[in-house]
Amino acid sequence: MNQNDPTRLLLDKYINNQLSSEEINRLKEIINNSNDEDLNDQLFQQWDSYSYTGKHHITTRKQIAENLKDILLTEKQYIKRSFPIWGKVAAIFIAVLLSFTTYLYFDKKQIQKTLLSEYTVQVGNGEKATVVLPDGSKIYLNSQSHLSYPASFGQDERKVKFSGEGYFEVTPNAKTPFIVSNPAVTVKVLGTVFNFYAASDDDWFETTLVKGKVEVTLNMSTPYTTVLHPNQKIRYNKRTGQWNISETDLWDETAWKRGDLVFRSKTFSDIISQLETYYGITIHIEGNIPDKLFTGSFHENDINAVLLNLQQHYDFAYNKTGNTVEIKLK
């Protein structure tokens, strides 16, 4: 079916709910005056050219196509009786292209099961990952992060559940806000770039806005909502309820995405914890933990290079065996 074919143009407009009354009558006339074989060929071409996004739609799309073939080839008489106005098997096919509500004609339980399923991405210690959602939004996940979203993402809402640390580049869509949900907070955006930190084993939550605008709701006993602007960071303690908004250095806040380790007045314990997460190792410490704070940055693939640098600031010896490091403080 040629892109400029009148029937193709009318079908495209029908799918997008743009037909005038006159065009509806014209399309009905074309369908009622076409033989089933030609019409089926045209509609399968329409189906193949139908635009869809996201890997999670592929299974559902294939299932619908197979069901349609079975129905069109074996149950034509039933479908004709079900749609007397159109008088053709085409009616059910066009309806599928128009709306997912017509799934009830094609193995409804199976398709509903697919749409209700949830996709999960779990990132372990020392790992990073990048996820592109069906709407084109991109999420960079830091170590020990967990992302989940429904198979129906983008149809009625754009909502994900997230814990850990992630850098979000959200595709703008004024009609469907993008929502990041976490037990401690909810972040709502229309189209923006921000860093989100909410590790499950940490009392503190942080969101740093890089570009655009986000609405942050703190899930306290009495929820509190505020709006962040670029270069602002909100920090919230889910245990005490303490929170504050401050100006921040975006270069430091997003260092992990570039593969950098940045420490600003960090304690020795904080540094060790971050090294374990970043490099996917286990560190055992023997001796008294020093009180001295450390400021510095590293871009090293080898943990040994970082430990050698830290030895210049803290007095310790270490031994690395496999993924385990033993540190003896002097």
Side-chain angles (χ1 to χ4, degrees):
M1 184 162 47
N2 188 286
Q3 293 286 341
N4 295 319
D5 184 276
T7 304
R8 174 64 179 272
L9 296 175
L10 289 172
L11 287 173
D12 285 338
K13 295 182 72 172
Y14 179 79
I15 293 167
N16 292 291
N17 199 26
Q18 297 175 343
L19 284 178
S20 66
S21 298
E22 182 180 345
E23 289 170 329
I24 289 175
N25 291 330
R26 175 59 181 154
L27 183 56
K28 288 180 181 179
E29 181 182 349
I30 291 174
I31 290 176
N32 283 320
N33 290 330
S34 301
N35 64 62
D36 283 351
E37 185 177 350
D38 290 343
L39 191 56
N40 290 348
D41 288 341
Q42 288 185 331
L43 290 171
F44 272 111
Q45 289 181 50
Q46 182 79 11
W47 172 262
D48 288 335
S49 66
Y50 183 63
S51 176
Y52 67 100
T53 59
K55 292 182 179 179
H56 67 275
H57 287 311
I58 294 175
T59 301
T60 300
R61 187 175 187 269
K62 288 181 178 178
Q63 181 65 51
I64 295 170
E66 290 304 315
N67 288 337
L68 282 170
K69 288 178 182 178
D70 292 340
I71 291 170
L72 290 173
L73 294 175
T74 64
E75 300 184 22
K76 291 182 180 180
Q77 296 306 313
Y78 167 75
I79 294 178
K80 286 181 181 179
R81 291 196 301 271
S82 300
F83 296 87
I85 295 178
W86 291 82
K88 292 290 178 181
V89 65
I92 195 167
F93 207 114
I94 295 175
V96 171
L97 296 175
L98 175 64
S99 169
F100 280 114
T101 60
T102 55
Y103 279 9
L104 60 92
Y105 296 102
F106 319 115
D107 197 0
K108 180 178 178 180
K109 290 183 179 180
Q110 177 61 37
I111 296 172
Q112 284 184 334
K113 181 179 179 181
T114 301
L115 291 176
L116 292 174
S117 62
E118 192 170 69
Y119 294 89
T120 299
V121 179
Q122 180 76 48
V123 184
N125 254 359
E127 300 176 345
K128 293 181 177 65
T130 302
V131 176
V132 179
L133 296 176
D135 67 339
S137 296
K138 186 178 291 186
I139 306 174
Y140 301 87
L141 288 77
N142 202 357
S143 301
Q144 292 188 311
S145 294
H146 182 279
L147 169 73
S148 62
Y149 60 96
S152 58
F153 178 93
Q155 292 182 21
D156 297 315
E157 62 178 7
R158 298 189 297 166
K159 186 174 183 179
V160 303
K161 298 175 184 176
F162 188 84
S163 64
E165 184 168 27
Y167 185 89
F168 289 71
E169 296 178 350
V170 178
T171 299
N173 185 336
K175 294 182 179 179
T176 310
F178 189 102
I179 297 173
V180 183
S181 177
N182 180 276
V185 296
T186 301
V187 176
K188 179 180 178 182
V189 304
L190 294 178
T192 190
V193 178
F194 62 98
N195 197 74
F196 183 102
Y197 175 83
S200 57
D201 59 351
D202 196 334
D203 289 336
W204 288 95
F205 154 81
E206 293 180 355
T207 284
T208 302
L209 185 60
V210 178
K211 181 172 64 176
K213 185 168 65 174
V214 297
E215 179 184 278
V216 181
T217 299
L218 308 180
N219 298 330
M220 302 184 287
S221 55
T222 301
Y224 176 80
T225 299
T226 188
V227 173
L228 290 186
H229 298 281
N231 288 33
Q232 285 188 328
K233 174 174 75 173
I234 185 168
R235 184 169 164 83
Y236 165 59
N237 189 306
K238 59 189 178 185
R239 182 174 56 83
T240 66
Q242 176 187 355
W243 65 273
N244 66 79
I245 295 177
S246 61
E247 300 293 319
T248 190
D249 187 336
L250 297 180
W251 183 259
D252 286 355
E253 297 291 344
T254 60
W256 69 268
K257 182 174 174 289
R258 302 188 304 273
D260 294 340
L261 274 169
V262 177
F263 303 107
R264 292 284 181 265
S265 299
K266 292 293 185 180
T267 66
F268 186 77
S269 295
D270 286 340
I271 294 170
I272 296 303
S273 177
Q274 195 165 339
L275 291 178
E276 286 183 312
T277 299
Y278 189 89
Y279 290 102
I281 60 175
T282 299
I283 300 177
H284 299 296
I285 301 173
E286 181 182 325
N288 296 321
I289 304 296
D291 296 327
K292 189 163 50 173
L293 302 179
F294 176 79
T295 296
S297 63
F298 303 98
H299 187 89
E300 304 288 351
N301 293 325
D302 188 355
I303 181 66
N304 288 289
V306 177
L307 292 172
L308 288 171
N309 275 281
L310 288 174
Q311 280 182 318
Q312 306 304 311
H313 190 74
Y314 298 104
D315 191 9
F316 65 84
Y318 78 91
N319 180 59
K320 183 177 183 295
T321 305
N323 288 327
T324 301
V325 176
E326 303 284 346
I327 290 180
K328 291 185 178 181
L329 289 157
K330 300 176 181 179

